[in-house]
Amino acid sequence: MNFKFSLKYFLLTILIFFVEVLIATKLKHIFFVRAYLGDVIVVILLYTFVKSFLIINNQKLILGILAFSCLVEFAQYFKVADKLGFLPGSLMYIVVGNSFSWIDILCYVAGCVLLYLFVKFEESRSLQKLT
């Protein structure tokens, strides 16, 4: 793992972040988008954020993001945000969350599978360009 700034991934991170904000604020009334799509996209947001600053193995990063996402979800099961004294509505309360859902974990898995497939597609496309 090496540190290297990537403008491409940083700009993607900003774009995806704005999509997440849009989902949380303007599209929150559309159940599927708010409940599922946001959780699929958030793992992609984490991926592009890390890739903005690090050169790291893609598969290990995707697995790490899945593990991290599941850890946060299980923290919700144990009401960690409340136990740490975060006020409802505060940034940290929103980040950690307060309601556990197995469906959220399935959404994280779906997002990571999509990421993996995209990364594999891009890798094979890059190899084809070399030949």
Side-chain angles (χ1 to χ4, degrees), residues 49-111:
F49 179 72
V50 171
K51 294 292 278 185
S52 295
F53 302 101
L54 298 175
I55 298 172
I56 186 170
N57 178 279
N58 292 322
Q59 288 78 17
K60 288 180 183 177
L61 176 58
I62 293 168
L63 281 174
I65 288 170
L66 179 59
F68 173 77
S69 300
C70 291
L71 183 67
V72 170
E73 195 65 28
F74 282 108
Q76 292 174 8
Y77 178 80
F78 292 105
K79 305 289 185 198
V80 169
D82 293 326
K83 290 177 180 164
L84 291 174
F86 298 139
L87 297 175
S90 69
L91 178 62
M92 286 308 297
Y93 193 86
I94 292 167
V95 168
V96 175
N98 65 343
S99 62
F100 173 83
S101 169
W102 286 107
I103 300 220
D104 288 352
I105 291 175
L106 288 175
C107 290
Y108 303 144
V109 169

Side-chain angles (χ1 to χ4, degrees), residues 14-31:
I14 292 170
L15 176 69
I16 296 168
F17 177 76
F18 282 123
V19 168
E20 286 285 14
V21 169
L22 181 68
I23 288 170
T25 58
K26 303 294 182 190
L27 302 176
K28 62 184 174 186
H29 62 284
I30 303 172
F31 180 77

Side-chain angles (χ1 to χ4, degrees), residues 16 19-20 23 36-46 107 111:
I16 296 168
V19 168
E20 286 285 14
I23 288 170
Y36 306 122
L37 192 58
D39 287 339
V40 171
I41 295 172
V42 77
V43 296
I44 299 168
L45 173 66
L46 292 171
C107 290

